[in-house]
Amino acid sequence: LNRIRKIKKNNMVKIPSGEIRTKEILDWKGIHLFHFRGSSCSQKLRIYLNLKKINWTPHSVNLAAGKNYSDWFLGINPKGLIPVLVDDGHVEIESNDILEYLEKKFPEKPLSPPTDQIQIKKLLKEEDDLHEDIRNIAYRYMFGDLGKKRSKDLENFENYKSSNKNLDQQKMKEVKFYKNFGKEGITDVAIRNSLSKFCKCYEKYESHLNEHRYLMGDELSILDIAWFIYSYRLFVSGFPFKDRFPNISLWFHNLYSRNEFFKEVNDPGVFKVIRFYAKASTSLRGKSIKSLLV
């Protein structure tokens, strides 16, 4: 039992309680969420919790200060990623898995249509596969050099050994990304490839929105929440939605106008200054999204 349990039926990743070294969380009662204000996956979960009106206790993990690389947090999730949900000692570590878990626990006013479970799993997997691509965009146009990790924090993360070799191997993808980012940043080739992937998905949804209000039909779903977060990051980075995908633009701004969505992505002033600097500096070098978009 002392190994990661991957349930092939739905690809959910589990960490048995016996592998969690920060034992105190196992005694917590109620729903607790480890999150960060500017984390895209955290924003996704907070919007969901807003819409479902679920009571939860927040625990902010400052990614900018490397708090997700502390032994205390790695004792909960050795991958060093947020969000993490703790529900009466039960731990979930992947954002889409958390959504699925909460949908089952709180079936009232479902945001995952019961008749479309197979399809929504497929589409959420497609969305999740673009996580590295949205990170490329964000680290070029939203964070800039401030996205670089301190070598001491990254070294602690790389050297941390959990009781599960599979998780330790998975975390090395994160280590590799940040090491490469520290050396060469995000290349133009990576940006073009990522933009191409997003455009292919948006073409599909642009057509769908000719006849429907939301991405799964005429009712809001967790797929809309997931894609709203991606679209927000692309929007503030300069992606020309209005020109390229007018239906997507209308869909996005409709959600953006709702308080449950807006309040979770409306960044504090310091974040906006950082974003302005990163976006402006790339534009001055002739590397705006519009210039790289093929």
Side-chain angles (χ1 to χ4, degrees):
L1 294 178
N2 290 330
R3 58 186 177 83
I4 221 173
R5 294 176 180 174
K6 189 168 186 180
I7 304 175
K8 296 182 179 179
K9 182 178 180 181
N10 55 17
N11 293 323
M12 294 178 69
V13 178
K14 304 290 183 185
I15 302 180
S17 59
E19 291 189 5
I20 294 175
R21 293 178 177 175
T22 306
K23 299 295 185 182
E24 64 197 75
I25 69 164
L26 300 177
D27 295 325
W28 289 358
K29 301 301 180 183
I31 292 178
H32 299 254
L33 184 71
F34 291 94
H35 70 113
F36 181 59
R37 176 70 192 175
S39 156
S40 61
C41 290
S42 295
Q43 291 168 341
K44 182 199 305 185
L45 262 296
R46 294 198 305 265
I47 289 171
Y48 174 88
L49 291 165
N50 290 340
L51 291 168
K52 298 279 281 194
K53 302 186 185 309
I54 297 171
N55 292 322
W56 58 287
T57 301
H59 301 271
S60 181
V61 180
N62 192 334
L63 303 186
K67 296 301 183 181
N68 55 316
Y69 297 153
S70 68
D71 288 351
W72 190 89
F73 184 75
L74 292 175
I76 301 169
N77 183 6
K79 293 175 70 175
L81 300 175
I82 55 171
V84 173
L85 183 88
V86 180
D87 179 18
D88 289 338
H90 175 84
V91 179
E92 294 281 348
I93 65 169
E94 303 287 346
S95 62
N96 285 343
D97 289 353
I98 294 172
L99 288 174
E100 185 175 342
Y101 173 81
L102 291 174
E103 275 288 270
K104 291 178 179 178
K105 184 178 178 71
F106 300 96
E108 303 82 8
K109 298 181 179 180
L111 291 172
S112 179
T115 57
D116 295 318
Q117 289 299 302
I118 295 178
Q119 179 68 357
I120 203 166
K121 285 178 184 291
K122 177 183 176 182
L123 294 175
L124 283 174
K125 174 64 166 56
E126 179 182 64
E127 175 266 340
D128 189 58
D129 287 344
L130 292 170
H131 182 75
E132 291 184 14
D133 296 291
I134 200 62
R135 183 164 59 179
N136 286 340
I137 303 296
Y139 274 68
R140 167 72 75 89
Y141 298 102
M142 293 179 69
F143 308 147
D145 290 340
L146 292 174
K148 294 180 179 179
K149 302 299 183 184
R150 296 184 303 178
S151 58
K152 181 179 179 180
D153 294 331
L154 195 58
E155 182 179 2
N156 183 65
F157 182 42
E158 183 176 6
N159 293 334
Y160 182 86
K161 301 297 182 183
S162 72
S163 56
N164 189 285
K165 292 183 179 179
N166 290 331
L167 280 178
D168 291 340
Q169 290 173 355
Q170 290 178 41
K171 81 169 183 185
M172 293 309 295
K173 289 180 62 178
E174 301 294 313
V175 173
K176 182 179 179 181
F177 171 84
Y178 287 112
K179 283 187 173 181
N180 289 340
F181 179 68
K183 292 178 181 178
E184 58 185 41
I186 306 296
T187 66
D188 291 350
V189 171
I191 293 294
R192 288 193 176 100
N193 287 339
S194 294
L195 288 173
S196 177
K197 293 178 185 179
F198 280 112
C199 283
K200 288 180 180 178
C201 289
Y202 281 129
E203 286 170 2
K204 173 181 64 179
Y205 289 124
E206 177 74 10
S207 177
H208 174 83
L209 289 171
N210 278 324
E211 300 179 0
H212 300 283
R213 187 179 179 185
Y214 297 109
L215 301 185
M216 288 288 292
D218 294 320
E219 298 293 333
L220 184 70
S221 74
I222 55 178
L223 187 67
D224 293 285
I225 300 173
W227 273 98
F228 170 80
I229 297 300
Y230 280 179
S231 300
Y232 171 77
R233 292 205 158 195
L234 285 162
F235 172 71
V236 298
S237 297
F239 189 92
F241 279 112
K242 190 173 182 180
D243 295 334
R244 295 288 295 253
F245 303 108
N247 289 338
I248 293 291
S249 181
L250 289 171
W251 162 86
F252 168 75
H253 284 286
N254 173 51
L255 296 179
Y256 192 41
S257 67
R258 297 179 58 168
N259 186 55
E260 298 97 334
F261 288 77
F262 176 76
K263 71 178 183 179
E264 299 304 342
V265 296
N266 184 30
D267 297 325
V270 64
F271 284 11
K272 292 178 179 178
V273 171
I274 293 170
R275 188 171 71 220
F276 174 81
Y277 173 78
K279 184 179 174 182
S281 63
T282 54
S283 295
L284 289 173
R285 297 198 305 270
K287 296 180 182 294
S288 66
I289 281 186
K290 285 186 178 181
S291 68
L292 296 178
L293 190 61
V294 178

